[in-house]
Amino acid sequence: MSRGSGKGLSLKDKLDGNELDLSLCDLNEVPVRELAALPKATILDLSCNNLISLPSDFCSLMHLVKLDLSKNRLQQLPLDFGRLVNLQHLDLLNNRLVTLPVSFAQLKNLKWLDLKDNPLDPVLAKVAGDCLDEKQCKQAAVKVLQHMKAIQSEQDRQRQRKLQAEREMEKKREAEQRAKEAQERELRKREKAEEKERRRREYDAQKAAKQEMEKKTKKETVHTRKPASSSRPPQPPQHKPSWSRSVLRVLLFVLFCVLCTLAACKLTELQHQPLCVSVNILYEDVVAALQNHKALQNMLQHNSQQ
């Protein structure tokens, strides 16, 4: 097996019964795939290597019962380290661990634990205590498990409180949203009612104005017709002036024709014609009648003066 990765040589050569010793191999990473192929290796020694971290799939080695990671440079354990539920013995001596993952509380079968020579959080260091003998290491396992369970419970409670707070907040937001929607619906309803009332008032006002205008128009019509029927005399039809003018034109035309005929019968060679003879006789009779009428007027005037 080559240095650094643990690859190149079969791990079966390192397997002794159910114990696999990979200590002092100058490993920088754990050969998880090869280890997973050896489920019989329930005891694994990875001490005295150069491991800085464990890969996340390391926690799939659930067949491990005893694990020695002492004297490496581990700064933290995988978050799901608690999946190693069959683990009973864990040696983390002389690493660079400050805290443990919360899932550590799930290692319910853990009975031995060594956390010495790590820069642990003061609270965790006080809980773990020393591991100078078998009894102290067993007590460390019990106390650390209890401590991590308390942390897990507190985190669960905080998570529940946070979840509850989020639910309450969500309910509050939903209630506020419902109240807002109800308020908007009420506002729209009120605006609709106000708009309807405004249109009704406009309709009533227009109707009243129309009725008032009709009354005023009717009153003015009655007022206008009454004086016309009482004070003004009935005017002649419009066609009468036109008829009078037509008669006057006809008379003038007849007079003109008579004068023309008379002039023709007096002044032209037509005076010996029978028609002109009759016209001339008629003319002389009329002149004589007018002279007699004038003489009668003079006589009457003379008599009246006497």
Side-chain angles (χ1 to χ4, degrees):
M1 182 173 59
S2 62
R3 302 288 182 179
S5 64
K7 298 179 182 179
L9 182 64
S10 176
L11 296 184
K12 292 182 179 180
D13 296 336
K14 293 284 187 178
L15 183 62
D16 183 9
N18 65 342
E19 183 175 354
L20 180 60
D21 187 1
L22 297 180
S23 63
L24 300 171
C25 290
D26 198 23
L27 296 177
N28 294 319
E29 60 183 35
V30 180
V32 177
R33 183 175 299 179
E34 289 81 357
L35 292 174
L38 298 173
K40 293 182 179 180
T42 58
I43 300 175
L44 177 61
D45 188 353
L46 291 171
S47 63
C48 302
N49 282 293
N50 298 317
L51 301 177
I52 297 176
S53 63
L54 299 177
S56 58
D57 57 351
F58 181 84
C59 301
S60 64
L61 305 176
M62 298 175 62
H63 59 277
L64 294 178
V65 175
K66 183 176 181 179
L67 177 61
D68 189 350
L69 291 169
S70 62
K71 298 181 181 179
N72 279 281
R73 295 184 293 168
L74 295 174
Q75 298 179 2
Q76 61 182 6
L77 298 178
L79 295 177
D80 55 349
F81 192 81
R83 291 176 59 193
L84 303 176
V85 292
N86 294 313
L87 199 60
Q88 299 179 13
H89 186 109
L90 179 59
D91 192 345
L92 294 171
L93 171 71
N94 194 11
N95 278 280
R96 299 178 181 179
L97 298 173
V98 177
T99 60
L100 297 175
V102 178
S103 64
F104 200 91
Q106 300 173 12
L107 301 177
K108 56 182 180 179
N109 293 314
L110 189 65
K111 296 178 175 58
W112 194 98
L113 178 62
D114 188 356
L115 288 173
K116 291 193 309 295
D117 299 330
N118 280 283
L120 296 174
D121 176 80
V123 176
L124 180 58
K126 184 178 180 180
V127 171
D130 293 328
C131 183
L132 301 177
D133 53 32
E134 189 75 11
K135 182 179 179 179
Q136 289 182 346
C137 292
K138 288 182 178 181
Q139 290 178 349
V142 173
K143 291 180 179 179
V144 170
L145 281 179
Q146 291 177 349
H147 177 68
M148 298 308 298
K149 287 180 180 179
I151 293 176
Q152 186 181 46
S153 298
E154 180 61 26
Q155 288 187 355
D156 290 342
R157 285 192 294 271
Q158 290 180 357
R159 191 179 301 109
Q160 289 296 328
R161 287 195 294 268
K162 183 179 179 180
L163 182 60
Q164 184 65 24
E166 290 177 354
R167 290 176 180 173
E168 293 294 333
M169 184 62 66
E170 183 65 22
K171 289 181 180 179
K172 184 178 180 181
R173 284 195 295 266
E174 291 177 357
E176 291 177 351
Q177 183 65 25
R178 288 194 296 269
K180 183 179 179 181
E181 292 175 355
Q183 185 177 5
E184 290 177 353
R185 286 195 299 270
E186 184 64 25
L187 179 60
R188 288 195 296 269
K189 184 178 179 181
R190 185 166 58 250
E191 289 177 349
K192 186 176 180 180
E194 291 176 354
E195 177 65 16
K196 186 176 181 180
E197 181 62 24
R198 183 185 65 79
R199 287 190 281 110
R200 182 182 289 110
R201 288 196 299 268
E202 289 180 355
Y203 174 79
D204 293 341
Q206 292 176 358
K207 187 175 181 181
K210 184 178 180 181
Q211 292 177 351
E212 184 66 24
M213 182 63 68
E214 291 177 353
K215 290 180 180 179
K216 185 176 180 181
T217 303
K218 186 176 181 181
K219 186 176 180 181
E220 289 177 352
T221 303
V222 173
H223 182 72
T224 303
R225 287 180 179 177
K226 187 174 180 181
S229 60
S230 60
S231 61
R232 291 185 180 181
Q235 295 182 356
Q238 295 297 325
H239 66 278
K240 289 185 177 181
S242 300
W243 181 81
S244 300
R245 286 194 294 269
S246 299
V247 171
L248 181 60
R249 291 193 189 100
V250 171
L251 293 176
L252 291 176
F253 178 75
V254 171
L255 180 61
F256 177 75
C257 292
V258 170
L259 292 176
C260 289
T261 302
L262 185 60
C265 290
K266 285 287 186 182
L267 301 177
T268 64
E269 295 178 355
L270 297 175
Q271 58 184 345
H272 299 292
Q273 296 293 329
L275 178 62
C276 289
V277 171
S278 299
V279 170
N280 291 330
I281 293 172
L282 179 62
Y283 173 73
E284 291 175 355
D285 291 343
V286 171
V287 171
L290 290 175
Q291 289 177 352
N292 292 333
H293 180 68
K294 186 175 181 180
L296 181 59
Q297 283 184 346
N298 292 330
M299 185 183 294
L300 291 174
Q301 183 177 6
H302 179 72
N303 292 332
S304 63
Q305 289 177 356
Q306 289 179 355

